[in-house]
Amino acid sequence: MSFTPAMSLFFATATLATLGAGLPAQAAPVTLTVTSAVANLCIVGPAQVNSGGATNLGVVSGNTVNIAQLTNDQLTTRATAFDITFDATCNAAHRVTVTSERGGLRRDQTGGNHPGFADGVPYTTRFDWDSSEATLLAPAQSLSEVSQNLDIGAPAAGSLVLHVTIDAGATNLVTNSPLIAGGYSDTLRVVMQVQ
Amino acid sequence: MIRTLPLALLFLSAAGVAAAQTQDTSQQRVLLAGNAPSVCKMDAPTSGGGGTVQFSVSSSNAAELNFQALANPTTAVAQAAQVTVSFPVICTGAHSLTVSSTNGGLTNPALPATGFATRVDYALTAQWAADQRRFQTVGSPTSLNLTESDGVAGNLTVAIAIANGVLPLVSGAYTDQVVVQFSATP
């Protein structure tokens, strides 16, 4: 076994320390300062649709919630209600924003003139978070998004619950108007952001 | 002291990596979807009759028009009469309408007699949306058809007009059935 240059240096230094006269018995202390930081963080988990207690809830597939029967025997809107839960965490003061991207449940096929018919279904989404709540009204009057904010002044973790409610007969025309046939849809967007 | 410098650099570098992996905004999207089916709904007539024609609704899908003065009381010849019946209808998508006469006129099952008539013909006009169709009975089943490419909500009006006759009518009951049917089309 041969000595490496580094090992040779160590032995030389040890010999000097042992044999040296007048040096302090202890070496001077070395202070290590350890620092770090926790960044702002908001995390919203995937949607979980609660079928228990729901009204007129159809098939739920991934992030798609189908309404079982959009219309009733009078051809107007059937009452619907269900909850969507998200596990969420924000480690600082934050804002929760719930947005209806189409401003309500709107007919997918646009255009056409249908006197006496509605082509949109308004609904409300009340959302509960950290013992506070706010309500988004999506009136289905225009194809533009509507949003509602809820500001929370401290970190919070738990379940964000959206209560989606469609009233019987609710339409973007006169109440109880018939709905023109077709597919209707909207996208609910939930955003949590550190403030 | 020589060894503290590389240690301090190591910790600062670790903090920088942690900041890049976190996020201060997070979002989820949920699609809500529903379907309004293409269907037709027709209620019982809400108005009709007038004059010598008596109108009555017997059920949600049946009504009766009774021409109380079908024949002139002194000549027994059919006399002109007209009645309009309105049906509230909603079809939420493309659809068709058929109005048919089962007998092809008001008919009396009695045997025909020379010089007398056992049938009273009429003209039927249906008005729906912006379209109008008409048929004239001639003694055999007949019908009219109408199609609409989109939803319509309103009143279908069916007008039945009897013209003055020529021959006197054999006594007895004269009947016909007019069937109004809306169907949603694919």
Side-chain angles (χ1 to χ4, degrees), chain A:
Chain A
M1 182 178 176
S2 60
F3 290 105
T4 64
M7 293 177 77
S8 300
L9 177 61
F10 170 79
F11 281 118
T13 304
T15 301
L16 287 174
T18 303
L19 300 178
L23 291 176
Q26 291 183 321
V30 174
T31 302
L32 293 180
T33 302
V34 181
T35 62
S36 185
V38 176
N40 291 332
L41 173 69
C42 270
I43 293 289
V44 184
Q48 304 165 62
V49 179
N50 313 320
S51 57
T55 300
N56 197 29
L57 177 64
V59 175
V60 178
S61 175
N63 275 2
T64 300
V65 179
N66 288 287
I67 296 167
Q69 293 178 301
L70 186 59
T71 56
N72 59 19
D73 291 343
Q74 304 306 310
L75 310 185
T76 189
T77 308
R78 184 183 295 269
T80 300
F82 55 87
D83 293 347
I84 308 173
T85 300
F86 304 85
D87 290 335
T89 299
C90 279
N91 66 356
H94 57 281
R95 166 173 287 181
V96 182
T97 303
V98 177
T99 300
S100 158
E101 294 187 352
R102 286 162 62 85
L105 206 57
R106 298 301 302 270
R107 187 174 185 240
D108 297 332
Q109 181 181 348
T110 57
N113 182 29
H114 310 103
F117 287 94
D119 63 359
V121 176
Y123 66 93
T124 60
T125 302
R126 193 190 84 225
F127 49 108
D128 300 339
W129 171 244
D130 192 40
S131 302
S132 297
E133 69 173 52
T135 300
L136 167 69
L137 170 61
Q141 290 297 329
S142 64
L143 274 172
S144 56
E145 66 179 38
V146 293
S147 297
Q148 179 65 50
N149 297 325
L150 176 62
D151 290 332
I152 304 294
S159 294
L160 167 65
V161 183
L162 273 56
H163 307 277
V164 179
T165 303
I166 302 174
D167 291 333
T171 76
N172 64 350
L173 195 62
V174 178
T175 301
N176 292 322
S177 293
L179 297 180
I180 193 74
Y184 287 69
S185 65
D186 190 17
T187 297
L188 271 177
R189 187 173 71 241
V190 176
V191 177
M192 299 183 80
Q193 182 173 29
V194 172
Q195 295 294 285

Side-chain angles (χ1 to χ4, degrees), chain B:
Chain B
M1 291 299 292
I2 293 174
R3 291 179 182 169
T4 57
L5 180 58
L7 279 172
L9 286 175
L10 179 63
F11 277 107
L12 289 173
S13 176
V17 171
Q21 290 175 337
T22 58
Q23 56 185 34
D24 64 2
T25 301
S26 180
Q27 75 169 31
Q28 293 285 348
R29 298 169 81 235
V30 177
L31 175 66
L32 310 180
N35 183 66
S38 179
V39 292
C40 287
K41 176 177 179 296
M42 178 166 53
D43 291 334
T46 56
S47 62
T52 59
V53 183
Q54 188 178 54
F55 171 79
S56 61
V57 175
S58 47
S59 73
S60 61
N61 60 350
E64 182 175 322
L65 290 170
N66 186 348
F67 289 81
Q68 295 182 309
L70 183 61
N72 183 305
T74 59
T75 64
V77 172
Q79 54 186 0
Q82 179 162 347
V83 64
T84 299
V85 183
S86 296
F87 300 80
V89 178
I90 300 172
C91 285
T92 61
H95 60 279
S96 63
L97 162 66
T98 301
V99 181
S100 59
S101 161
T102 303
N103 295 339
L106 287 160
T107 57
N108 183 340
L111 293 175
T114 303
F116 288 85
T118 57
R119 189 181 81 245
V120 177
D121 286 321
Y122 59 86
L124 183 149
T125 303
Q127 175 79 44
W128 175 238
D131 296 309
Q132 190 178 81
R133 298 288 187 276
R134 180 181 184 275
F135 67 64
Q136 171 71 48
T137 63
V138 291
S140 58
T142 185
S143 63
L144 62 81
N145 297 285
L146 190 157
T147 61
E148 300 291 342
S149 61
D150 212 340
V152 178
N155 285 310
L156 164 71
T157 59
V158 174
I160 296 174
I162 296 173
N164 288 321
V166 178
L167 297 176
L169 298 171
V170 173
S171 70
Y174 287 74
T175 62
D176 193 8
Q177 272 196 333
V178 173
V179 179
V180 177
Q181 184 159 7
F182 281 88
S183 302
T185 55

